[in-house]
Amino acid sequence: KVSSFLIGFTIISLGTALPDMIIGTHAAIDGDTAFTIATFIGSAMVNVSLLIGGLALITKYRLHKADITRNIPITLGASILLLIVILLF
């Protein structure tokens, strides 16, 4: 049995990603790959920022030691690596 949370989460995910996928597809067809990449990266950054900001406003989440020593550095490192790969290719 699939939970209602998973169904709702999937519908919201599709609702936020579908416009970006359509715009990115049209830009890629027109040969504007830089716009496609920027749209996907920008959309992901905005979605994550709004999610974290919204959660910070309504919850009392405290950073754990693992967040500071492992999760945040890995996320920043992956973002920098992705930026380097995009700029090189």
Side-chain angles (χ1 to χ4, degrees):
K1 182 178 176 185
V2 179
S3 71
S4 59
F5 173 78
L6 182 61
I7 293 170
F9 189 76
T10 303
I11 291 171
I12 290 172
S13 298
L14 287 173
T16 60
L18 191 59
D20 298 325
M21 290 172 31
I22 291 170
I23 291 170
T25 302
H26 283 287
I29 290 170
D30 291 341
D32 195 359
T33 56
F35 183 78
T36 302
I37 293 169
T39 299
F40 284 114
I41 292 173
S43 174
M45 290 172 54
V46 167
N47 288 338
V48 169
S49 299
L50 290 175
L51 175 69
I52 292 172
L55 288 175
L57 289 174
I58 61 174
T59 65
K60 295 181 180 181
Y61 181 76
R62 302 271 183 197
L63 286 176
H64 299 293
K65 187 174 182 174
D67 292 329
I68 296 170
T69 60
R70 185 186 58 210
N71 297 337
I72 293 173
I74 288 173
T75 303
L76 287 174
S79 299
I80 291 169
L81 181 63
L82 177 63
L83 179 63
I84 291 169
V85 168
I86 289 170
L87 291 175
L88 290 177
F89 300 102

